[in-house]
Amino acid sequence: MPVGTQASIKGLTPRDVEREVDPPIILANTYHLFLRPGHEVVRELGGLHQFMQWPRAILTDSGGFQVFSLSELRKVREEGVEFQSHLNGDRHLFTPESTVDVQLALGSDILMVLDECTEYPATYERARSSMELTSRWARRAFAHYRGPRAEFEQQRALFPIVQGGMYQDLRRASAEALLELDAYGYAIGGLSVGEPRDESLAMTEVVAPMLPQGKPRYVMGIGLPEELPEYVARGVDMMDCVMPSRNARNGCLFTSTGRVIIKNARYRADAGPLDAECGCYTCQNFTRAYLRHLFVSQEILFSTLATIHNLRFYLDTMRAMRRSILDGRFPQYLAGVRVRANDGEKL
Amino acid sequence: MPVGTQASIKGLTPRDVEREVDPPIILANTYHLFLRPGHEVVRELGGLHQFMQWPRAILTDSGGFQVFSLSELRKVREEGVEFQSHLNGDRHLFTPESTVDVQLALGSDILMVLDECTEYPATYERARSSMELTSRWARRAFAHYRGPRAEFEQQRALFPIVQGGMYQDLRRASAEALLELDAYGYAIGGLSVGEPRDESLAMTEVVAPMLPQGKPRYVMGIGLPEELPEYVARGVDMMDCVMPSRNARNGCLFTSTGRVIIKNARYRADAGPLDAECGCYTCQNFTRAYLRHLFVSQEILFSTLATIHNLRFYLDTMRAMRRSILDGRFPQYLAGVRVRANDGEKL
């Protein structure tokens, strides 16, 4: 899922997102939209799809992760999390119930429950109590969603989030508790918070097989291009990450022959396309030399062209995996990715 | 002419420039492209059209204006102008001959002669000697263009630039001297340098009728939307200005019902289009509330959507004038613009 934090995939018109990237779903951030322009304004204007002119599906996170990463003076208690806006210092309270209501006002297709994203590293005791709080919050979110807000359940999905730090038994306990909710889909959270990559994969390996096979499994905040197949191999269906778009703006481009740091002098007069195997607008029309010129000259167009390409590269990677699964070739696909990764080739 | 200073209309893909703005010609800046990426690099990559993927006409200025406005330690002498790069302090010399060669390397369709853009205010003596230097430089540029570079004259046009400060007789003398060159088109320069608007119009009124009726007359660096018809009324065919694109990025939008300062709180939940009479992508798809949200949130997409609209508004204004001229209704069109301007309504 490309990330559209503030109701915009940075640098791209929704028309270009559809045509060039073609993702079935994008992600937007509840925390940001709650603060600005405000979920009630978005509701008044017909919801997020109408507001940002995105006709396909939208997933919104619960705001929990941003409260922990962006806001100061946050205070977690049983009721919810109190925090100060990073924009103007205003105090707010997110509860499991209120974040469901905010996401319903936004009109998301997939809502996420409020969770506490356990920091890394965390002691066993800390990870356990944090995970248990997340489970209690999930039950409250579902009770609210299926009680007072039951009219919405036919149209939208609410996903709970598995936590438990880097402890296998806590991850299992979290998954078991959440399975009782019989949700349409499940997320694995609390990864990509600074832990070594093999830890993130190990936690996924413990949790994913416990989650229902016929329902979407979503690992939050993942990952590098060469990591995507590892998660898919472990049964993951959905991922999101700011990396393709943020790296694009910083001049780090992912291609079929490896990473391109576009500011390098070697691209100064390079008449070739960014990625000869890519069909995106950027690769079909512009040279590496032009992209380097735009980057060095700090032209806005660089962000647009680079983001088009990086997001297309991610989505093409996902589409290639899907085809290989349907064709029964995924094991070979994965083996190829691993050989190249072991050769030190970074995709 | 939309301005593409560094081989990019800021914030727009060339595809969107063609489809949404539809200008027959754009402007690029010789000074900037000479410094970065360098005209030889652009030539090597197939010229500016290929480099930036712009299939229609390109006009490049001579670099003279930017030398005077951007670079430090410039030194004008008979041979040309010596200056330091505003990027890294390197010393360079522009001569009337070298700037023709740079523009030929870029592959421009319309080249401009090196001129000295006389500052405002300037004494009569200063304006006279500056104007005479510009005339001598123009003769040298044409001698070079028609001598060693004669092969190009069938494919490209070189325009001289009328100077003379705010003195009618100097403007006339400048035009007379340049008419001897029998150019394909003529520019009026040295306006929009800080003088009152009626001075710029007065100078245009003196010069334009002296220039050949069947050839393009180009006033450089003009102007506000309500000014365009005043120049057209005085016989001007071509103009360029950073105003529509720069103002767009700063949140000042030109519409058929007046200027919109998009950050104003009144647009916070405004579900209407930016300009109900406009057919551009921005106005056809997005609300003022969404545009305000993007501006306040400093999203890149704001620059794109705002620039699409402002440039479309300018080009639609030019197209409306052309139609009214062809239909014999231009006097009524102009009268309407003036009535609205006198009513204090700023377009």
Side-chain angles (χ1 to χ4, degrees):
Chain A
M1 288 179 286
V3 175
T5 299
Q6 303 186 114
S8 165
I9 311 275
K10 290 190 192 303
L12 267 57
T13 60
R15 180 163 73 183
D16 278 344
V17 177
E18 266 196 87
R19 179 166 45 182
E20 299 298 332
V21 184
D22 197 20
I25 180 169
I26 63 169
L27 180 147
N29 288 110
T30 298
Y31 170 85
H32 290 86
L33 295 170
F34 166 80
L35 293 179
R36 190 171 60 191
H39 56 294
E40 289 301 346
V41 167
V42 175
R43 188 214 301 269
E44 203 180 309
L45 291 160
L48 202 46
H49 294 79
Q50 174 71 19
F51 186 57
M52 68 184 291
Q53 287 290 297
W54 177 250
R56 304 184 185 177
I58 298 175
L59 179 148
T60 43
D61 62 7
S62 69
F65 181 77
Q66 274 72 33
V67 166
F68 292 100
S69 61
L70 288 179
S71 79
E72 295 179 22
L73 291 175
R74 62 182 181 275
K75 221 154 79 187
V76 181
R77 42 180 210 257
E78 189 62 31
E79 185 189 4
V81 54
E82 203 186 321
F83 63 96
Q84 278 197 308
S85 160
H86 74 293
L87 298 174
N88 61 12
D90 283 358
R91 287 184 173 280
H92 301 280
L93 176 72
F94 272 170
T95 69
E97 294 82 7
S98 78
T99 53
V100 164
D101 286 340
V102 169
Q103 293 175 82
L104 288 173
L106 295 174
S108 324
D109 299 286
I110 301 180
L111 297 71
M112 303 300 297
V113 297
L114 185 66
D115 63 332
E116 186 182 48
C117 183
T118 314
E119 66 284 358
Y120 178 86
T123 64
Y124 185 87
E125 265 318 297
R126 161 75 191 130
R128 190 182 57 76
S129 72
S130 171
M131 176 273 282
E132 288 172 355
L133 178 69
T134 288
S135 298
R136 290 194 299 276
W137 281 0
R139 280 192 291 274
R140 281 171 51 194
F142 270 82
H144 182 71
Y145 180 62
R146 287 174 170 159
R149 302 290 178 266
E151 78 225 69
F152 294 106
E153 198 172 0
Q154 298 311 310
Q155 309 151 36
R156 312 176 186 290
L158 176 64
F159 284 17
I161 303 172
V162 175
Q163 290 285 350
M166 302 302 149
Y167 302 98
Q168 300 200 5
D169 63 325
L170 296 182
R171 287 281 172 179
R172 273 191 212 99
S174 175
E176 264 161 30
L178 299 177
L179 281 168
E180 289 171 19
L181 298 169
D182 191 27
Y184 282 127
Y186 287 88
I188 305 175
L191 301 182
S192 264
V193 289
E195 77 282 7
R197 282 190 211 173
D198 52 356
E199 289 265 13
S200 348
L201 285 171
M203 291 304 113
T204 304
E205 220 164 286
V206 168
V207 174
M210 296 179 64
L211 303 176
Q213 236 191 337
K215 294 180 171 180
R217 300 159 179 165
Y218 162 31
V219 176
M220 306 179 83
I222 299 293
L224 286 164
E226 59 270 22
E227 293 174 334
L228 307 187
E230 295 294 347
Y231 285 92
V232 169
R234 284 157 180 83
V236 173
D237 306 292
M238 300 171 64
M239 290 168 263
D240 77 280
C241 197
V242 295
M243 193 171 300
S245 41
R246 182 176 295 163
N247 279 16
R249 297 195 301 280
N250 294 331
C252 172
L253 300 159
F254 300 108
T255 79
S256 57
T257 55
R259 285 175 178 55
V260 168
I261 307 301
I262 199 69
K263 78 164 174 224
N264 284 350
R266 59 193 282 208
Y267 302 122
R268 185 163 169 274
D270 187 333
L274 175 56
D275 186 343
E277 289 182 27
C278 181
C280 81
Y281 175 67
T282 304
C283 293
Q284 292 292 312
N285 287 279
F286 302 96
T287 60
R288 290 175 167 196
Y290 184 62
L291 293 173
R292 177 178 189 272
H293 166 68
L294 293 179
F295 180 76
V296 172
S297 306
Q298 300 180 286
E299 281 287 338
I300 301 174
L301 182 58
F302 178 78
S303 290
T304 301
L305 296 180
T307 305
I308 284 177
H309 171 76
N310 269 7
L311 287 178
R312 170 71 159 256
F313 184 77
Y314 267 60
L315 269 290
D316 277 353
T317 300
M318 295 304 290
R319 284 184 277 260
M321 284 194 277
R322 187 179 301 124
R323 272 194 305 276
S324 82
I325 291 168
L326 292 171
D327 298 350
R329 296 179 294 99
F330 183 72
Q332 295 92 309
Y333 178 97
L334 182 64
V337 171
R338 285 177 174 167
V339 165
R340 281 181 290 167
N342 284 336
D343 286 353
E345 182 186 323
K346 284 177 185 284
L347 273 188
Chain B
M1 290 180 284
V3 175
T5 298
Q6 303 187 112
S8 165
I9 310 276
K10 289 190 194 306
L12 266 58
T13 59
R15 181 163 72 182
D16 277 344
V17 177
E18 265 195 90
R19 181 167 42 181
E20 298 298 332
V21 183
D22 196 21
I25 180 168
I26 63 168
L27 179 146
N29 286 111
T30 298
Y31 170 85
H32 290 86
L33 295 170
F34 166 82
L35 293 179
R36 189 171 62 192
H39 56 294
E40 289 301 345
V41 168
V42 174
R43 188 214 301 269
E44 205 180 308
L45 290 160
L48 201 47
H49 295 78
Q50 174 71 19
F51 185 56
M52 67 184 291
Q53 288 288 298
W54 178 250
R56 304 184 186 178
I58 298 175
L59 179 148
T60 42
D61 62 6
S62 69
F65 181 77
Q66 274 72 31
V67 166
F68 292 100
S69 60
L70 288 178
S71 78
E72 295 181 20
L73 291 174
R74 63 182 182 274
K75 221 154 80 188
V76 180
R77 41 180 211 258
E78 189 62 31
E79 186 189 3
V81 54
E82 203 186 321
F83 62 97
Q84 278 197 309
S85 160
H86 74 293
L87 298 174
N88 61 11
D90 283 358
R91 288 185 170 279
H92 300 281
L93 176 70
F94 271 171
T95 69
E97 293 82 7
S98 78
T99 52
V100 164
D101 287 340
V102 169
Q103 293 175 81
L104 288 174
L106 294 175
S108 323
D109 300 286
I110 300 180
L111 298 71
M112 303 299 298
V113 297
L114 184 66
D115 64 332
E116 186 182 49
C117 181
T118 314
E119 69 283 358
Y120 178 85
T123 63
Y124 185 87
E125 265 318 298
R126 161 74 191 130
R128 190 180 58 78
S129 71
S130 171
M131 176 274 282
E132 287 172 356
L133 179 68
T134 288
S135 298
R136 290 193 299 275
W137 280 359
R139 278 192 292 272
R140 279 171 51 194
F142 269 83
H144 182 70
Y145 181 62
R146 286 175 171 160
R149 301 291 178 266
E151 79 226 69
F152 293 106
E153 198 172 0
Q154 297 311 309
Q155 308 150 38
R156 311 178 186 290
L158 176 64
F159 284 15
I161 303 171
V162 175
Q163 291 285 353
M166 302 302 151
Y167 302 98
Q168 300 202 3
D169 62 323
L170 296 182
R171 288 280 173 180
R172 272 191 215 102
S174 174
E176 264 160 29
L178 299 176
L179 281 169
E180 288 170 19
L181 297 169
D182 191 27
Y184 281 126
Y186 287 88
I188 305 175
L191 301 182
S192 264
V193 289
E195 78 282 7
R197 282 190 212 173
D198 53 356
E199 289 264 11
S200 347
L201 285 172
M203 291 304 114
T204 304
E205 218 165 287
V206 167
V207 174
M210 296 178 66
L211 302 176
Q213 235 191 339
K215 294 178 172 181
R217 301 160 178 164
Y218 163 30
V219 176
M220 306 180 83
I222 297 295
L224 287 164
E226 60 269 25
E227 292 174 335
L228 308 186
E230 295 294 345
Y231 285 92
V232 169
R234 284 158 181 81
V236 173
D237 305 294
M238 300 171 65
M239 291 168 261
D240 77 280
C241 197
V242 294
M243 194 171 300
S245 41
R246 182 176 294 163
N247 279 16
R249 297 195 302 281
N250 295 330
C252 172
L253 300 159
F254 300 108
T255 79
S256 58
T257 55
R259 284 172 178 58
V260 167
I261 306 303
I262 200 69
K263 79 165 174 224
N264 284 350
R266 60 192 281 208
Y267 302 122
R268 185 163 169 273
D270 187 334
L274 174 56
D275 186 344
E277 290 183 26
C278 180
C280 81
Y281 176 66
T282 305
C283 292
Q284 292 292 311
N285 287 280
F286 302 95
T287 59
R288 290 175 167 196
Y290 184 61
L291 294 173
R292 177 177 188 272
H293 166 67
L294 293 178
F295 180 76
V296 172
S297 305
Q298 300 181 284
E299 281 288 339
I300 302 175
L301 183 57
F302 178 77
S303 290
T304 302
L305 296 180
T307 304
I308 284 176
H309 171 76
N310 268 5
L311 287 179
R312 170 72 158 258
F313 185 77
Y314 267 62
L315 268 292
D316 278 354
T317 299
M318 295 304 290
R319 284 184 277 261
M321 284 193 279
R322 187 179 302 124
R323 272 193 306 277
S324 82
I325 290 168
L326 293 172
D327 297 349
R329 294 179 293 100
F330 183 72
Q332 294 91 309
Y333 179 97
L334 181 64
V337 171
R338 285 177 174 168
V339 165
R340 281 181 291 167
N342 283 338
D343 286 354
E345 182 187 324
K346 285 179 185 281
L347 274 188

